[in-house]
Amino acid sequence: MADCLFCKIVGGEIPSTKVFEDDYVYAFRDIEPQAPEHIIIVPKKHMASANEITADNSAVIGKIFEAAAKIAKELGFAEKGYRIVNNCGEDGGQTVGHIHFHLLGGRSLQWPPG
Ligand code: 5GP
Ligand code: ZN
């Protein structure tokens, strides 16, 4: 999508600190980290939000969770634990209209979220 921030990051038009990439997903460090480790994982193919997940495109969501486990192991916080978050829509707090999963780790995370 021409005017999508995360499509531009995936395409390299906007710089990012990449931590992982394969044919399906791209992962990079959040610009405003909320934890010592805060990584954003996105499908390379544009999808606006979790509302657009269907039987035809849901395989990429598995790829995102595979990437999260790999990244957590590589960065060394898998054993201590982490959180994977998807914010969907206005009430969910989504601010970028390209589906993304936050991978947060490196500290003890509180529950429930605000
Ligand atoms: P949301 O609030 O939509 O769930 O998450 C969007 C996330 O993207 C936020 O945590 C925000 O800090 C991050 N973000 C927004 N713009 C940029 C950017 O240009 N580069 C990077 N690396 N992260 C961004
Ligand atoms: Zn996009």
Side-chain angles (χ1 to χ4, degrees):
M1 253 203 26
D3 209 28
C4 169
L5 175 65
F6 286 172
C7 281
K8 287 180 181 163
I9 285 180
V10 169
E13 254 181 89
I14 292 176
S16 65
T17 306
K18 179 171 87 172
V19 297
F20 177 81
E21 178 176 19
D22 66 14
D23 289 346
Y24 307 96
V25 312
Y26 187 83
F28 54 99
R29 290 203 174 272
D30 197 291
I31 206 167
E32 257 182 72
Q34 302 300 315
E37 305 283 5
H38 186 172
I39 291 123
I40 299 285
I41 311 174
V42 304
K44 287 187 167 178
K45 192 170 173 210
H46 183 86
M47 187 192 298
S49 79
N51 281 332
E52 293 192 356
I53 299 171
T54 66
D56 290 335
N57 62 23
S58 61
V60 75
I61 306 302
K63 296 286 180 192
I64 284 168
F65 276 73
E66 268 183 55
K70 200 173 286 186
I71 293 163
K73 282 180 198 122
E74 273 170 14
L75 296 182
F77 60 90
E79 288 309 315
K80 287 282 277 182
Y82 50 88
R83 186 171 292 164
I84 299 169
V85 175
N86 169 252
N87 296 327
C88 179
E90 195 182 341
D91 277 2
Q94 183 177 3
T95 61
V96 179
H98 179 132
I99 192 171
H100 51 279
F101 291 75
H102 299 255
L103 171 61
L104 297 144
R107 69 170 169 85
S108 178
L109 298 159
Q110 305 307 303
W111 191 262

